[in-house]
Amino acid sequence: FGEAIARQRYVSKDSRSTLVVLEGSNPKCSNKEIFYPLSDWLNEQLYEVFDASEFEVGLTSWSEQMRATANGAVKDASSAHIFTLPIAWAILFGTVGPTAAFVIFTMP
């Protein structure tokens, strides 16, 4: 009886994908102390249990998206983008002159 309900809620109609929902008992738990280690451990377990050539396995949540955003921001800041903006401003300054100084004040 319980399997039928779970299959109806969390398994696709063609039985090719499933969804697992984990909810903590403490909604205000720290991501760095509790959720991130748990999600890392779950990812490792999923890749051990399921063959990557047969299954596509993923784990996501709001917290995972925030962690990926923070890691991506650090990666972007340390990449070539930090050099291209000043070069672009120099080209703009060479093209339009001192008016390009307004770009520095209007850019966030």
Side-chain angles (χ1 to χ4, degrees), residues 65-76:
Q65 292 174 2
M66 292 300 104
R67 177 164 62 167
T69 300
N71 292 342
V74 170
K75 185 178 177 184
D76 283 347

Side-chain angles (χ1 to χ4, degrees), residues 5-20:
I5 293 172
R7 194 172 284 280
Q8 180 183 10
R9 287 185 181 176
Y10 303 117
V11 178
S12 66
K13 300 287 183 197
D14 62 358
S15 297
R16 294 181 51 89
S17 61
T18 185
L19 175 69
V20 177

Side-chain angles (χ1 to χ4, degrees), residues 89-101 103:
W89 183 82
I91 292 170
L92 182 66
F93 183 80
T95 305
V96 298
T99 310
V103 172

